[in-house]
């Protein structure tokens, strides 16, 4: 033991605590092909289940004949809604207060909808069985446009219509039409209208944030195993919220919760896709109960893109008012939200449009109003937060486009317009017009640092020259400078206003210190690549003074981990990270008493120092945490229980509000529509930084997903409701070839209410990245009269924009 | 369903006899019959490369090759590149340079990168990006993957020089 000779700096370094770029402990198994993902699970006698899916977007089901399928070698069962109905499982509740068919109950509402579940010896036999199931459909009129849906006589969901034909009230109050789901409002309507009516300058715009999909590389799947001998159900699956899944399975199956064990093994990326509960999970559980065998269900990529968890699909209409000098006075936003056939959005209960009401962004906007109308169409259900916290991406895209449009209206530089409207540092905590209280921020410092780093004035000068050259016929490439300053709202959230299915959105950590001074900590979250096993150990190392390398982090097994609401919406660090620090502090409090006893002084006479408690004023008298851990197990200390364990359930007092300043510089070939991203600068302020290496990795990844969404990725439908982008042939995932190198930077403005000041970062680059890429495309054409063109800005659409602006007539 | 046939594959240096339908895709033979679960399935259309293995000296997407087509061939997977006692320089470099996050693409990515460095021991960044463009990663944005491959190349070239 060298504790008494190492310098304080060495002792800090030995811990590998907060602030150090600790290498990831997860990587040994992943780099050797020894990860354990759900499809790697193999159990004795395991069967495979797969779906017969609807080829139609809207149809009545006349009949289902599975007799031929039952003759296929290896097929054991074919489940339909009629089989599930006696169990009450043919429909299931959604996270949004609606309900969803598990298997088609008389009709189908979107292409790819689950119609029957074929259970077979292996996946080939299941596929053969699916081919042999005869389903007779009668086509119905298809509604893929939410505006048409809101005026159509066609009733998509007869189950939501009252006996007199009027729309029954939904989970969020009265409905305006039989295909309408909810209206949700925030802010002050009349005052906002007045401010805008009397404003010196008003800019209006209508923008479509297209439907897309999180598309993690690993699709969704599960293995259900009902042990009929002891009555226990074990469910392994790609669950971003394993505890919530356990509660949901218990509620809908009637199996008592203590008899259900949900395990999320390694997860191959989530990005929001794996938050919801899907028919595949329910059918696998039922099939396991019916057959008495474990049943595996794994989506293929087409199933994944067509059915589970789309994101976005918001039609946003905005009006923003300002003085002639550019001081913003009011903001009005109306959203028509296309939710597909069932409202299965993954949002906290009280927020049917998520945190769209953060759409005043980083700006001090005194008056604002938001109204969102949710609408049923013949598209897949979902509405998940694709690498974002509950519609924050839509909100940030909206305001960052509105700022650009206002800049055009004012004939002003968009960077300067942002600067004069930022919430000032001294205004925090800042109460926004739409209700949120921003915890902390220093936007001007971040913005100025970003502008300086990219030499903003130099870029604008270069752009002016480029425009002149283009007009003179010297070049066919335009230059776009994309700007974004985003403010997120993450870390859901306070139990007082955030719950999912009635479950408060706290999170948890339980720590056990072993006698020899190592530890295990378990959390209610689950990593899908974020590196929790690495970073949560770093938080603990700094809090309890034991090396991160001596701390095992475990998540995802509901039999062992404390209850938590899981990992999405950048909530792991803000909520479970806080719980980890608080549980660590409980350990430290007990350790202090033990140390005082061992050192024969009063509790108040010792203080914590890196990895030990020292007697105040006598640093040579100390007990290391390692010594204290052993004492906790081998000493009879009066008034103190043996052992050294703690648990914390943390209910955050507020959300956290990470922010950032991004700049994208892009050259666009006017004749091919191909954009070349020559520079991307990303400054993130996520408060206290736990592991800079991991933060940087999250920023690279989030920006790349943002690039995908802004520049090509979409779930597109034709008029018949056919999905046009159901494979990776059509659904854009960027490769190394399309992706630039990114420059990362940071400022640090800690969250004042979080125990370690951390705000979360995983989603920031996606949230800020999408408008930044999009603004760069728009900016390239601003001098030629472009105000707004919808994403995704793929080559064809960019070419079309250039063409519509008459830029192909000049060459 | 068709009649099962016997096939002989050499996987990571070990000869394996399997009895399978000819239509069975190689990825399932590897994962489900031989318990080689390093290669993963991401798309079934040869786009994502999570299933990449090396067959007779070429990078192959094992999700779009029938087991019948692999009969008699030599196959290397991530499991054959290195293990706990001796990591492949690429495995080490991916760990060092944060070249992975969720880990799902990693086996295919490293298997492909090993082949790339065999073909071109001194690739430029552009050559790496082009040579890796058959493998999709949803987490890292590729920047650290490129860095990892560059670092492994440097390491492999240095040890080769030391050996000569």
């Amino acid at each position: 033991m060298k504790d008494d000779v190492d310098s304080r700096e060495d002792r800090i370094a030995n811990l590998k605590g907060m602030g150090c770029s600790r290498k990831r402990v997860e990587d040994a198994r992943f780099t050797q092909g020894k990860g354990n993902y759900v499809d790697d699970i193999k159990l004795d006698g395991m069967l495979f289940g797969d779906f017969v899916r609807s080829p139609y977007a809207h149809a009545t089901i006349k009949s289902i004949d599975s007799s031929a399928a039952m003759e296929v070698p290896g097929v054991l069962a074919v489940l339909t809604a009629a089989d599930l109905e006696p169990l009450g499982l043919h429909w299931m509740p959604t996270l949004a207060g609606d309900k969803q068919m598990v298997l088609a109950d008389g009709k189908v509402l979107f292409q790819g909808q689950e119609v029957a579940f074929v259970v077979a010896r292996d996946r080939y036999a299941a596929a053969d069985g699916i081919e042999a199931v005869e389903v007779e459909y009668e086509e119905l009129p298809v509604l893929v446009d939410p505006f048409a849906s809101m005026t159509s006589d066609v009733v998509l969901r007869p189950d939501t219509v009252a006996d007199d034909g009027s729309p029954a009230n939904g989970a969020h109050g009265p409905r305006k039409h039989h295909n309408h789901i909810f209206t949700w409002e925030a802010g002050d309507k009349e005052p906002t209208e007045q401010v805008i009516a009397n404003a010196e300058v008003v800019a209006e715009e209508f923008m479509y944030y297209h439907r897309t999909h999180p598309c993690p590389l690993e699709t969704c799947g599960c293995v259900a195993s009902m042990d009929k001998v002891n009555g226990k159900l074990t469910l392994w699956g790609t669950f971003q919220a394993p505890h919530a899944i356990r509660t949901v399975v218990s509620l809908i199956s009637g199996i008592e919760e203590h008899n259900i064990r949900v395990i999320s093994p390694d997860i191959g990326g989530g990005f929001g896709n794996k938050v919801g509960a899907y028919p595949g999970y329910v059918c696998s559980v039922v099939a396991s109960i019916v057959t008495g065998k474990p049943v595996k269900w794994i989506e293929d990529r087409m199933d994944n893109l067509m059915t589970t968890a789309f994101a976005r699909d918001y039609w946003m209409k905005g009006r923003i008012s300002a003085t002639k000098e550019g001081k913003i006075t009011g903001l009005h936003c109306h959203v028509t939200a296309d939710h597909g056939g069932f409202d299965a959005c993954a949002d906290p209960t009280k927020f049917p449009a998520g945190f769209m009401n953060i759409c005043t962004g980083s700006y001090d906007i005194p008056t604002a109003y938001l109204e969102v109308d949710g609408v049923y169409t013949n598209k897949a259900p979902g509405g998940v937060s694709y690498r974002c916290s509950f519609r924050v991406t839509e909100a940030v895209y909206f305001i960052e486009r509105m700022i650009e449009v206002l800049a055009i209206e004012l004939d002003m530089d968009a960077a300067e317009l942002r600067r004069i409207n930022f919430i000032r540092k001294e205004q925090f905590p800042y109460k926004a017009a739409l209700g949120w209280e921003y915890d902390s921020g220093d936007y001007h410092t971040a913005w100025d640092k970003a502008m300086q780093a990219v030499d903003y004035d130099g870029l604008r000068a270069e752009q002016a020259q480029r425009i002149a050259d283009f007009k003179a016929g010297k070049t066919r490439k335009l230059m776009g400078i994309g700007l974004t300053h985003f403010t997120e709202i993450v870390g859901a959230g306070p139990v007082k206003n955030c719950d999912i299915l009635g479950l408060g959105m706290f999170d948890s950590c339980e720590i056990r210190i072993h006698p020899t001074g190592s530890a295990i900590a378990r959390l209610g979250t689950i990593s899908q690549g974020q590196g929790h096993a690495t970073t949560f150990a770093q938080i603990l190392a700094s809090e309890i003074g034991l090396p991160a390398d001596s701390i095992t982090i475990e998540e995802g097994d509901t039999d062992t981990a404390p209850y938590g609401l899981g990992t999405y919406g950048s909530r792991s660090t803000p909520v479970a990270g806080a719980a980890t620090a608080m549980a660590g502090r409980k350990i430290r409090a007990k350790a202090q008493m033990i140390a005082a006893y061992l050192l024969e002084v009063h509790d108040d006479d010792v203080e914590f120092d890196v990895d030990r408690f020292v007697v105040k004023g006598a640093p040579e008298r100390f007990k290391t945490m390692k010594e204290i851990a052993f004492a906790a197990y081998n000493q009879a200390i009066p008034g103190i229980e043996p052992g050294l364990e703690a648990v914390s359930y943390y209910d955050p007092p507020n959300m956290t509000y990470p922010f950032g300043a991004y700049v994208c510089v892009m050259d666009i070939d006017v004749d091919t529509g191909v954009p070349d991203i020559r520079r991307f600068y990303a400054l993130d302020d996520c408060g206290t930084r736990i592991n800079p290496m991991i933060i940087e990795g999250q920023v690279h990844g989030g920006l790349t997903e943002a690039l995908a969404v802004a520049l090509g990725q979409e779930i597109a439908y034709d008029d018949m409701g056919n999905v046009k982008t159901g494979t990776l042939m059509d659904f854009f995932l960027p490769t190394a070839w399309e992706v630039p190198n990114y420059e990362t930077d940071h400022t640090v403005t800690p969250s004042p209410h979080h125990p370690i000041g951390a705000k979360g970062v995983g989603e920031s680059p996606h949230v800020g990245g999408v408008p930044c890429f999009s603004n760069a495309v728009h900016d390239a054409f601003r001098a030629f009269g472009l105000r707004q063109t919808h994403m995704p800005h793929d080559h064809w659409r960019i070419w079309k924009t250039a063409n519509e602006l008459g830029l192909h007539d000049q060459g | 369903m068709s009649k099962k046939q016997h096939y002989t594959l050499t996987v990571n240096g070990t000869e394996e006899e399997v009895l399978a339908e000819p239509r069975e895709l190689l990825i399932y033979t590897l994962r489900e019959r031989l318990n080689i679960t390093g290669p993963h399935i991401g798309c079934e259309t040869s786009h994502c490369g999570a299933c990449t293995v090396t067959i007779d000296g070429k990078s192959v997407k094992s999700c779009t090759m029938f087991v019948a087509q692999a009969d008699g061939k030599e196959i290397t997977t991530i499991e054959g590149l290195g293990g706990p006692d001796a990591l492949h320089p690429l495995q080490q470099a991916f760990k060092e340079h944060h070249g992975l996050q969720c880990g799902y693409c990693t086996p295919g990515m490293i298997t492909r990168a090993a082949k790339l460095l065999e073909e071109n021991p001194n690739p430029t960044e552009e050559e790496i990006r082009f040579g890796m463009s058959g493998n999709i990663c949803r987490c890292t944005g590729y920047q650290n993957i490129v860095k990892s491959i560059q670092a492994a190349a440097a390491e492999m070239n240095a040890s080769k020089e030391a050996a000569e």
Side-chain angles (χ1 to χ4, degrees):
Chain A
M1 192 81 191
K2 299 194 298 167
D3 293 314
D4 50 343
V5 293
D6 284 354
S7 72
R8 194 165 186 278
E9 287 69 31
D10 287 345
R11 289 193 283 122
I12 291 170
N14 283 342
L15 291 182
K16 296 189 191 168
M18 288 204 297
C20 97
S21 286
R22 183 183 182 219
K23 304 296 178 204
R24 300 201 332 160
V25 296
E26 295 89 342
D27 292 355
R29 67 178 186 278
F30 292 146
T31 52
Q32 294 174 59
K34 298 296 180 192
N36 184 34
Y37 302 90
V38 67
D39 201 12
D40 297 339
I41 293 167
K42 210 171 169 182
L43 302 175
D44 280 346
M46 189 172 73
L47 306 174
F48 194 86
D50 203 354
F51 287 107
V52 175
R53 294 179 180 277
S54 171
Y56 297 108
H58 196 200
T60 303
I61 293 184
K62 308 293 284 181
S63 65
I64 302 174
D65 180 359
S66 50
S67 54
M70 290 300 291
E71 300 298 316
V72 171
V75 171
L76 285 108
V78 179
L79 300 178
T80 65
D83 301 309
L84 299 183
E85 191 171 359
L87 307 167
L89 291 175
H90 55 318
W91 288 72
M92 64 178 184
T94 70
L95 297 180
D98 194 3
K99 55 179 189 162
Q100 175 179 353
M101 292 178 211
V102 173
L103 291 171
D105 183 19
K107 71 182 294 194
V108 288
L109 284 156
F110 63 94
Q111 188 183 51
Q113 188 176 333
E114 301 82 359
V115 173
F117 192 65
V118 176
V119 186
R121 214 172 36 219
D122 59 44
R123 60 182 95 212
Y124 281 83
D128 291 342
I130 287 167
E131 285 296 306
V133 175
E134 299 264 353
V135 185
E136 196 188 336
Y137 299 93
E138 190 172 286
E139 286 182 74
L140 294 168
V142 173
L143 297 170
V144 290
D145 172 5
F147 299 98
S149 186
M150 279 292 286
T151 56
S152 172
D153 294 338
V154 176
V155 179
L156 293 177
R157 290 279 303 274
D159 61 292
T160 68
V161 175
D163 291 341
D164 65 357
S166 66
N169 276 4
H172 304 287
R175 294 158 62 224
K176 297 173 184 169
H177 178 267
H178 51 250
N179 294 331
H180 178 246
I181 308 172
F182 64 83
T183 297
W184 186 64
E185 294 175 275
D188 302 315
K189 189 173 187 171
E190 287 313 317
T192 305
E193 291 290 1
Q194 271 174 28
V195 165
I196 292 174
N198 299 325
E200 291 174 350
V201 181
V202 178
E204 287 189 42
E205 201 45 75
F206 181 53
M207 63 194 87
Y208 179 43
Y209 200 145
H210 60 291
R211 180 176 277 235
T212 182
H213 193 284
C215 194
L217 204 54
E218 178 202 35
T219 58
C220 299
C222 71
V223 177
S225 180
M226 183 73 206
D227 182 335
K228 289 193 173 176
V229 175
N230 60 25
K232 297 231 177 221
L233 170 71
T234 307
L235 183 63
W236 291 264
T238 49
F239 308 129
Q240 289 183 233
H243 287 91
I245 290 284
R246 185 185 71 190
T247 302
V248 170
V249 170
S250 177
L251 289 173
I252 68 176
S253 71
I255 301 170
E256 280 199 82
E257 203 164 350
H258 72 105
N259 279 331
I260 303 171
R261 180 180 186 185
V262 174
I263 301 173
S264 295
D266 286 326
I267 296 181
F271 316 122
N273 190 182
K274 296 166 178 171
V275 173
Y278 300 123
Y281 305 158
V282 178
C283 289
S284 302
V285 170
V286 172
S288 180
I289 293 170
V290 169
T291 61
K293 301 247 165 83
V295 175
K296 179 186 273 188
W297 165 72
I298 304 287
E299 288 181 316
D300 65 25
R301 179 55 61 195
M302 213 165 189
D303 298 340
N304 177 251
L305 289 173
M306 286 174 67
T307 68
T308 49
F310 80 88
R312 322 285 152 81
D313 216 344
Y314 262 28
W315 297 85
M316 304 185 285
K317 197 171 183 182
R319 280 178 287 154
I320 189 165
S321 62
T323 64
K324 287 196 297 279
E325 294 74 34
K327 187 81 190 83
I328 301 170
T329 55
L331 180 71
H332 188 291
C333 177
H334 181 271
V335 180
T336 300
D338 185 339
H339 285 222
F342 308 96
D343 185 9
C345 288
D347 293 316
T349 305
K350 295 188 186 76
F351 299 92
F355 301 155
M356 184 64 200
N357 58 338
I358 192 80
C359 67
T360 51
S362 309
Y363 311 102
D364 185 13
I365 301 179
T367 316
Y369 174 70
L370 165 72
E371 184 181 37
V372 183
D373 282 303
V375 182
Y376 289 124
T377 60
N378 289 120
K379 297 183 188 169
V384 301
S385 314
Y386 171 6
R387 204 169 187 146
C388 93
S389 178
F390 312 115
R391 305 285 186 182
V392 173
T393 312
E394 289 89 325
V396 169
Y397 186 74
F398 171 78
I399 185 65
E400 289 302 300
R401 284 298 310 138
M402 289 309 294
I403 291 283
E404 294 283 321
V405 172
L406 180 61
I408 292 170
E409 198 72 40
L410 290 160
D411 195 22
M412 234 180 121
D413 179 82
E416 182 57 18
L417 178 60
R418 283 180 174 83
R419 209 178 184 290
I420 62 177
N421 284 289
F422 283 142
I423 300 160
R424 294 184 316 278
K425 189 180 174 183
E426 62 274 16
Q427 286 177 280
F428 292 94
Y430 173 80
K431 187 88 198 262
L434 294 177
W436 298 111
E437 186 176 286
Y438 296 18
D439 60 349
S440 64
D442 184 355
Y443 301 164
H444 287 94
T445 300
W447 193 247
D448 292 346
K449 191 175 179 186
M451 293 302 107
Q452 210 171 353
V454 300
D455 180 19
Y456 181 69
D457 294 340
L459 286 174
R460 284 292 177 204
E462 186 190 347
Q463 186 187 40
Q465 183 61 49
R466 182 75 68 84
I467 292 166
D469 288 349
F470 183 87
K471 286 179 175 167
K474 291 188 202 160
T475 179
R476 295 296 291 160
K477 285 189 178 174
L478 292 174
M479 176 179 161
I481 303 165
L483 304 174
T484 284
H485 190 287
F486 65 91
T487 297
E488 279 194 286
I489 170 171
V490 307
V495 172
K496 62 176 187 259
N497 60 0
C498 287
D499 72 273
I500 286 185
L501 292 175
L503 304 165
M505 296 182 75
F506 59 84
D507 226 289
S508 60
C509 174
E510 179 198 270
I511 306 167
R512 295 180 188 180
I513 311 291
H514 306 316
T516 51
S518 66
I520 183 165
R522 296 185 170 109
L523 293 91
T525 43
I526 175 73
S527 187
Q528 308 125 39
Q530 294 90 338
H532 290 177
T534 304
T535 50
F536 285 127
Q538 290 181 255
I539 296 175
L540 269 185
S542 292
E543 290 291 339
I544 65 177
L546 292 173
D549 289 346
S550 299
I551 302 168
T552 294
I553 300 289
E554 259 188 26
E555 302 173 301
D557 183 341
T558 59
D559 262 12
T560 55
Y563 204 101
L565 266 281
T567 294
Y568 44 86
S570 281
R571 63 186 302 282
S572 296
T573 294
V575 193
T580 303
M582 297 309 271
R585 287 171 196 181
K586 289 182 185 176
I587 295 280
R588 213 161 78 186
K590 184 168 177 180
Q592 181 167 3
M593 293 191 280
I594 297 171
Y597 172 82
L598 297 173
L599 292 162
E600 297 178 347
V601 295
H602 190 270
D603 292 355
D604 294 340
D605 292 334
V606 292
E607 61 187 355
F608 188 70
D609 178 46
V610 185
D611 58 352
R612 62 192 58 187
F613 276 95
V614 300
V615 176
K616 285 179 186 168
E620 73 288 355
R621 292 189 61 207
F622 62 84
K623 289 289 171 189
T624 65
M625 283 300 293
K626 211 172 158 149
E627 291 170 309
I628 294 166
F630 198 65
Y633 289 90
N634 82 340
Q635 299 253 346
I637 306 174
I640 299 180
E641 285 181 9
L644 194 50
E645 302 188 1
V647 60
S648 170
Y649 283 78
Y650 188 80
D651 178 10
N654 191 4
M655 311 282 184
T656 59
Y657 297 77
F659 61 93
Y662 291 179
V663 183
C664 173
V665 185
M666 191 184 271
D667 288 321
I668 291 179
D669 185 317
V670 166
D671 298 315
T672 61
V674 176
D676 175 26
I677 299 147
R678 66 175 215 227
R679 188 165 186 194
F680 199 107
Y681 169 89
L683 179 151
D684 277 279
D685 191 320
C686 59
T688 304
R689 290 155 59 85
I690 299 166
N691 182 323
M693 175 191 82
I694 285 183
I695 290 172
E696 197 172 88
Q698 291 290 312
V699 173
H700 295 165
L703 288 174
T704 302
E705 290 193 342
L707 180 153
V709 170
L711 301 182
Q713 184 180 90
E714 65 177 322
I715 296 289
Y717 289 81
D718 69 12
D719 292 344
M720 303 287 286
N722 295 305
V723 180
K724 297 197 288 182
T725 52
T727 72
L728 298 192
M729 233 174 304
D730 312 293
F731 185 82
F732 174 51
L733 296 183
T735 69
W737 189 244
E738 284 107 9
V739 174
N741 282 308
Y742 304 105
E743 296 163 54
T744 53
D745 203 346
H746 63 275
T747 54
V748 177
T749 312
S751 167
H753 63 78
H754 187 282
I756 58 169
K759 289 187 169 186
V761 75
E763 298 169 339
S764 300
H766 187 76
V767 169
V770 176
C772 194
F773 286 112
S774 180
N775 281 344
V777 173
H778 283 92
D779 184 70
F781 294 106
R782 176 174 166 173
F784 301 90
L786 180 68
R787 258 176 88 106
Q788 174 64 27
T789 180
H790 301 320
M791 290 191 294
H793 309 298
D794 55 21
H795 303 172
W796 177 72
R797 286 184 175 97
I798 292 178
W799 180 90
K800 202 161 152 276
T801 295
N803 194 261
E804 284 163 5
L805 293 171
L807 302 182
H808 294 152
D809 306 332
Q810 303 178 355
Chain B
M1 191 175 170
S2 49
K3 200 165 172 288
K4 288 188 174 176
Q5 313 263 348
H6 284 278
Y7 301 105
T8 309
L9 320 171
T10 305
V11 184
N12 299 326
T14 308
E15 199 175 282
E16 307 274 6
E17 280 266 330
V18 295
L19 178 65
E21 291 181 52
R23 66 170 176 170
E24 183 167 296
L25 294 167
L26 178 60
I27 185 72
Y28 294 122
T29 312
L30 293 172
R31 290 178 48 81
E32 297 183 359
R33 293 187 192 280
L34 302 175
N35 291 325
I36 292 170
T37 54
H40 297 134
I41 305 159
C43 70
E44 306 99 17
T45 49
S46 286
H47 285 84
C48 83
C51 62
T52 304
V53 299
T54 308
I55 301 182
D56 287 355
K58 286 198 167 65
S59 292
V60 170
K61 311 274 175 82
S62 63
C63 78
T64 29
M65 182 179 199
F66 294 118
V67 59
Q69 295 171 288
D71 189 28
K73 307 240 190 264
E74 297 248 355
I75 302 168
T76 307
T77 70
I78 184 76
E79 287 90 343
L81 286 181
D85 299 331
L87 288 182
H88 188 281
L90 277 161
Q91 291 171 318
Q92 189 61 41
F94 271 64
K95 282 172 63 177
E96 283 298 313
H97 298 278
H98 193 26
L100 65 148
Q101 291 179 25
C102 81
Y104 200 76
C105 76
T106 311
M109 199 64 82
I110 291 179
T111 306
R112 170 61 200 146
K115 192 71 224 153
L116 174 72
L117 293 186
E118 210 179 291
E119 290 160 357
N120 180 359
N122 281 301
T124 62
E125 178 178 342
E126 200 176 35
E127 285 168 338
I128 292 174
R129 286 184 176 272
F130 187 74
M132 296 304 295
S133 63
N135 291 69
I136 286 172
C137 170
R138 291 288 287 143
C139 299
T140 64
Y142 305 104
Q143 195 156 327
N144 289 342
I145 289 178
V146 171
K147 214 158 125 190
S148 303
I149 296 171
Q150 286 169 326
E155 166 64 29
M156 287 162 79
N157 291 334
S159 17
K160 205 169 9 171
E161 261 174 46
E164 275 160 12

